[in-house]
Amino acid sequence: MKYGAATLHEIYAQPEVWRRCLQLLDKIDLEKLVGGREPHTHEWLFVGCGTSYYLAQAAAATFTILGSTPARAVPASEVLLFPKLVFPVEGAAIFPVLISRSGNTSEILRVAEFLRLNDIEFLIITCDGNALAPLSARTLIVPASEKSTVMTSSFTSMLMALQYISAKLAKRDDFVDGLHLLPDALSGLLEVYGPAVKRFAQQTFDDVAFLAQGALYPIASETALKITESSSSYSQFFPTLEFRHGPKSIVSERVLVGALLSETGYAEESAVLLEMKELGAQTLVIANQLTPEVRDSADLAIELALPVPELARLVVYVVWGQLLGSYLGLHKGLNPDSPRHLTRVVTLAG
Ligand code: F1P
């Protein structure tokens, strides 16, 4: 098979995967999954590794905003190494949500064991199930089976599932309706912007930085990770306005600065991108609606035009970084289907 073909196929197949997931989500038994652990009585704590940790952050932002109640995200390793930092108050009403595509990641399995030993009930969100799925009576298996080493449709599908649950608990039917519009919307966007991302990736950068604020910050983090994993190149991420406070010193003609612009912070966030263009950076911008000045200034501008609530757009923002990572890797002569040093699951001895 051609280099990267399997991963690219899975990225382009996301509209169909999302349709399948939404069909399943429309039938879930919410009471069985989260009964007695509603956000107004329990702090939801999202736990994952790697891409699944950034997924956890995006889910925590969603629950905090839709549920008007604090939710947190931690890497599995923090639970294992610093439990007192994660569970500071003995007996506090916390509802952990373990997120793992494979269900075989050692750190996640060890967290599940820790929670069972401490009689803490938890929810599992997984695609493959494997060793993790049977460890809780509250398990949701999302139908996004992918062969790729890096996570693509599994990330967007599990995030969509958690956003769906959050919206249902918050009685936000408009949000659920918005999620149902995304598969068709993404199909159209992929036709227009897929080739544009491929063309844009026919170059190499000395440095890459992706910027975003609020609930889009974990999406910028995942975008940077996709570029690092799929093209074996260093890529950073920052809250957009933080980029001025030092990191902008990396900017030059061979540096890519990408910004995922929110609706809420558009004016302040876009000003940073315009400034970096002035300093000579190559720029990439993704927004739901673009003003002419920002569109014309960017080297690649992607406008989503999604008629859905702002928070329901997260999964569409990440697709372009998935594609960019694969296309940059291919341009470097690498194979994103088997990224250097990476395995599909991180299993630890002992
Ligand atoms: C987590 C993970 C992925 C990473 C790679 C190795 O996997 O770290 O985020 O991209 O595939 O595994 P999982 O626990 O979600 O299966």
Side-chain angles (χ1 to χ4, degrees), residues 7 17 38 72 81 102 105 120 124 126 132 143 151 156 172 222-223 226 228 248 278 283 299 311 315 321 340 350:
T7 305
V17 177
E38 287 74 10
R72 279 185 293 150
L81 298 178
S102 64
T105 298
I120 299 172
I124 293 170
T126 180
L132 181 65
M151 290 171 64
T156 53
R172 283 288 305 273
E222 171 57 12
T223 296
K226 280 286 109 24
T228 295
K248 73 175 182 179
E278 281 301 302
T283 59
D299 296 286
L311 213 45
V315 290
R340 190 169 62 188

Side-chain angles (χ1 to χ4, degrees), residues 88-291:
V89 178
E90 189 77 25
I94 290 188
F95 187 44
V97 180
L98 305 193
I99 303 167
S100 176
R101 167 183 68 174
S102 64
N104 275 342
T105 298
S106 301
E107 289 142 283
I108 280 284
L109 294 172
R110 291 177 188 174
V111 169
E113 190 185 332
F114 169 86
L115 296 173
R116 284 159 65 96
L117 283 174
N118 288 280
D119 292 327
I120 299 172
E121 282 198 41
F122 54 94
L123 173 65
I124 293 170
I125 304 280
T126 180
C127 297
D128 305 350
N130 289 322
L132 181 65
L135 300 182
S136 170
R138 302 167 185 266
T139 294
L140 177 62
I141 297 190
V142 174
S145 60
E146 63 192 5
K147 300 279 171 290
S148 57
T149 296
V150 300
M151 290 171 64
T152 58
S153 59
S154 55
F155 174 88
T156 53
S157 302
M158 291 195 284
L159 176 53
M160 185 179 274
L162 287 167
Q163 290 200 314
Y164 187 103
I165 290 170
S166 176
K168 279 292 194 190
L169 291 171
K171 305 202 182 335
R172 283 288 305 273
D173 289 346
D174 65 308
F175 196 99
V176 173
D177 294 346
L179 293 177
H180 276 91
L181 294 179
L182 297 183
D184 288 348
L186 180 62
S187 285
L189 289 167
L190 281 168
E191 269 181 46
V192 174
Y193 292 112
V197 174
K198 182 174 182 178
R199 278 195 301 277
F200 182 74
Q202 303 314 305
Q203 57 183 317
T204 50
F205 298 106
D206 290 349
D207 261 308
V208 178
F210 268 85
L211 314 178
Q213 301 266 177
L216 278 170
Y217 177 65
I219 305 300
S221 309
E222 171 57 12
T223 296
L225 181 60
K226 280 286 109 24
I227 289 168
T228 295
E229 288 179 323
S230 303
S231 68
S232 298
S233 43
Y234 189 51
S235 177
Q236 305 180 77
F237 47 90
F238 302 92
T240 309
L241 276 63
E242 279 297 294
F243 196 63
R244 290 192 182 104
H245 299 271
K248 73 175 182 179
S249 65
I250 67 167
V251 169
S252 77
E253 286 67 35
R254 293 182 51 78
V255 168
L256 171 60
V257 176
L260 312 183
L261 300 182
S262 69
E263 194 171 329
T264 310
Y266 185 90
E268 293 78 7
E269 295 164 17
S270 57
V272 173
L273 196 67
L274 293 171
E275 285 167 34
M276 296 316 128
K277 188 65 201 163
E278 281 301 302
L279 292 178
Q282 290 244 30
T283 59
L284 183 162
V285 65
I286 305 171
N288 202 52
Q289 238 112 30
L290 281 167
T291 49

